[in-house]
Amino acid sequence: MSQSENIVLVGTGALIESLLRGEFICKTTNEDGWRALQTPSTRERVETFLNQLNRTLASAADGEVFFCGYLQLGEAERKVISSQFREICSALIPLVEWLVLVQEASGQDAPLTEGAAIRLTELQSRIEDTPAFREQLAKLSQYRLFGSTSTQADAQIKLVFRRLVELGYLVRPNSEKQIYLATGKLDYLYEVIRFIDETEGLQLEAQAETASSQRELV
């Protein structure tokens, strides 16, 4: 086996381990792995290995985000998926409210997508200067997902962003800078929201925006 083939196999092994840990592979979180998965031969090797473990390589956002799913669903797999789905559902409202807050406070026309940068210092300044935004932050930071007990906007927003990094929705490339990047897991979340809205009629984003508008009128 040549040295280049060895490198490919080692790289593929690390990529498979990341997928099995539940990581979402996108250009922002793992550019080398993401580029490797753009290659049919690498995808085939990864898929072949995962199939041995009853797993499969899944994707979202038109192939821009990769993650690990189950190949066949038995009783045990259905229990795991049900647990994961309940976890996602319980986090949807606080996540959507956070997305709406960031979009409004940043003056953006569209929600965050993979690779978008958030400058925490600038965002915090805008939130602190606007009573309605401060109220939104205080409310969403107290959800169980974030669990803030602070009454200070500075502590609230830093806790929220730290948790979002832990959950894989954001990355902080440089620990010395307050700049965060949105990951492909957010794009996956949008697909989940669309699926739930279409099947359950929950209209989560509309609910969050309505709640935001009502708070501004108070």
Side-chain angles (χ1 to χ4, degrees):
M1 184 179 295
S2 68
Q3 183 178 359
S4 61
E5 289 174 322
N6 266 322
I7 293 173
V8 169
L9 288 175
V10 170
T12 302
L15 184 54
I16 290 171
E17 289 178 0
S18 296
L19 289 164
L20 290 173
R21 284 197 299 268
E23 295 179 12
F24 285 72
I25 309 298
C26 66
K27 193 173 182 180
T28 298
T29 59
N30 184 347
E31 184 171 358
D32 290 340
W34 177 81
R35 290 192 183 282
L37 289 172
Q38 303 300 311
T39 306
S41 58
T42 301
R43 287 201 304 274
E44 184 177 350
R45 281 196 298 271
V46 170
E47 181 70 11
T48 298
F49 185 91
L50 290 177
N51 288 172
Q52 298 176 60
L53 303 175
N54 190 30
R55 300 292 199 276
T56 186
L57 181 64
S59 64
D62 297 324
E64 293 298 310
V65 187
F66 296 92
F67 58 97
C68 189
Y70 284 107
L71 183 62
Q72 297 179 333
L73 295 180
E75 184 177 350
E77 290 78 13
R78 290 184 187 279
K79 287 181 178 179
V80 172
I81 290 176
S82 295
S83 176
Q84 292 174 340
F85 190 71
R86 285 194 299 271
E87 184 178 330
I88 290 174
C89 287
S90 67
L92 281 179
I93 293 297
L95 284 172
V96 171
E97 288 192 11
W98 173 77
L99 286 165
V100 171
L101 173 60
V102 171
Q103 184 176 341
E104 291 178 343
S106 302
Q108 301 295 321
D109 295 329
L112 288 175
T113 55
E114 187 258 317
I118 307 172
R119 289 170 170 77
L120 185 57
T121 304
E122 295 178 8
L123 179 67
Q124 181 179 335
S125 178
R126 291 171 183 167
I127 289 175
E128 290 179 334
D129 289 343
T130 308
F133 292 159
R134 287 203 309 272
E135 185 179 341
Q136 285 177 253
L137 173 63
K139 179 178 180 294
L140 72 89
S141 70
Q142 292 171 9
Y143 280 112
R144 182 180 299 178
L145 182 69
F146 303 120
S148 174
T149 57
S150 176
T151 58
Q152 302 300 314
D154 178 68
Q156 291 167 353
I157 198 168
K158 286 179 179 176
L159 173 61
V160 168
F161 271 67
R162 183 167 66 249
R163 281 290 291 140
L164 290 170
V165 170
E166 293 171 356
L167 293 167
Y169 293 104
L170 297 175
V171 293
R172 186 180 177 184
N174 188 334
S175 61
E176 296 181 358
K177 296 182 179 181
Q178 295 287 339
I179 299 176
Y180 294 78
L181 300 179
T183 73
K185 191 172 181 180
L186 273 180
D187 296 85
Y188 167 77
L189 178 68
Y190 295 142
E191 294 197 2
V192 171
I193 290 172
R194 282 194 291 270
F195 170 76
I196 294 176
D197 272 1
E198 290 170 0
T199 57
E200 303 292 339
L202 297 179
Q203 298 181 326
L204 290 163
E205 187 171 356
Q207 285 184 32
E209 290 178 343
T210 299
S212 172
S213 297
Q214 289 174 343
R215 282 194 293 273
E216 289 177 7
L217 294 174
V218 174

